[in-house]
Amino acid sequence: MADVTLAATPRTAFGKGAARRLRRDKQIPAVLYGHGTDPVHVALPGHATMMALKQTNALFEIVLEGKKTLAIAKDVQVEPVRHVIEHVDLLIVKRGEKIAVDVPVRVVGESAPGTIHLVETQVLQLEAEATNLPSVVEVDIDGLGDGTVVRAGDLTLPAGSTLVSDPEHIVVTVSVPSAEPVVDAEAGEAADGDEAAPAADE
């Protein structure tokens, strides 16, 4: 079952002007492609699409002129200043097929007292069924001590997923933060004064 159903309309006008008009009408330009079919240019409902894209690797059911097509968002173009979605590329998928997708890493738990953790890899690539794509890879660091290195191959992946990324990729490191020496300004000034005193006696 699809995570989100979106009603699309055919798009026949192209170019920046046509795209701006669509966005003024609270729609988003998009293209459906994949499985050897010709690209299909469509317009999607703006608000519903924006909300749906907040879900990582959501499965869409695109309804176009009565025909239903399963797809995932492969590329989303966002205007950097106003954060408006300008265009969406939708990859057509079929039930039962496996595809590779990027999945964000999420750290859970707390490392050993006195240590900190650093996320070295924010996203991993996994392969999974198109109709059951993972939204996150959890990295459990609970109780891990200083010097621990968690690699991609060490992780427990979501059910039905296999790792595509290099298993040797470092995902998280745990260490004790190094303390920089604190200079006491007043002590420093006093020391300078003590060194200068013999010169005055001369």
Side-chain angles (χ1 to χ4, degrees):
M1 181 178 178
D3 298 316
V4 180
T5 299
L6 296 174
T9 54
R11 183 161 56 96
T12 55
F14 305 98
K16 292 183 178 180
R20 281 196 296 269
R21 287 192 293 274
L22 273 179
R23 288 191 287 271
R24 279 199 301 268
D25 292 338
K26 303 189 184 305
Q27 293 182 301
I28 296 174
V31 61
L32 271 167
Y33 70 96
H35 281 275
T37 62
D38 292 331
V40 178
H41 298 274
V42 299
L44 301 175
H47 181 71
T49 302
M50 179 188 69
M51 297 302 292
L53 289 172
K54 291 183 178 182
Q55 303 178 50
T56 303
N57 295 326
L59 180 66
F60 297 94
E61 183 178 71
I62 307 298
V63 182
L64 177 64
E65 297 180 323
K67 180 182 177 181
K68 298 178 180 179
T69 303
L70 293 177
I72 63 167
K74 200 63 177 175
D75 184 62
V76 181
Q77 298 174 24
V78 180
E79 196 279 322
V81 177
R82 294 175 295 139
H83 302 289
V84 174
I85 298 174
E86 294 190 325
H87 191 274
V88 180
D89 288 352
L90 295 167
L91 175 65
I92 297 171
V93 297
K94 302 292 185 183
R95 295 188 186 279
E97 76 168 317
K98 290 194 171 184
I99 60 174
V101 291
D102 291 335
V103 184
V105 166
R106 182 172 69 198
V107 173
V108 296
E110 296 287 341
S111 57
T115 65
I116 59 172
H117 73 273
L118 179 64
V119 180
E120 305 280 1
T121 302
Q122 301 285 346
V123 173
L124 291 172
Q125 191 171 60
L126 306 183
E127 185 179 72
E129 285 194 12
T131 54
N132 187 32
L133 296 176
S135 60
V136 69
V137 179
E138 290 191 344
V139 184
D140 187 356
I141 64 166
D142 204 40
L144 297 184
D146 178 38
T148 303
V149 176
V150 181
R151 303 179 187 275
D154 300 328
L155 301 178
T156 299
L157 301 178
S161 301
T162 56
L163 183 67
V164 177
S165 296
D166 184 347
E168 292 302 311
H169 266 329
I170 295 175
V171 181
V172 174
T173 57
V174 178
S175 62
V176 174
S178 57
E180 295 184 2
V182 178
V183 177
D184 188 324
E186 293 183 1
E189 290 174 2
D192 291 343
D194 289 345
E195 292 175 1
D201 291 340
E202 294 174 1

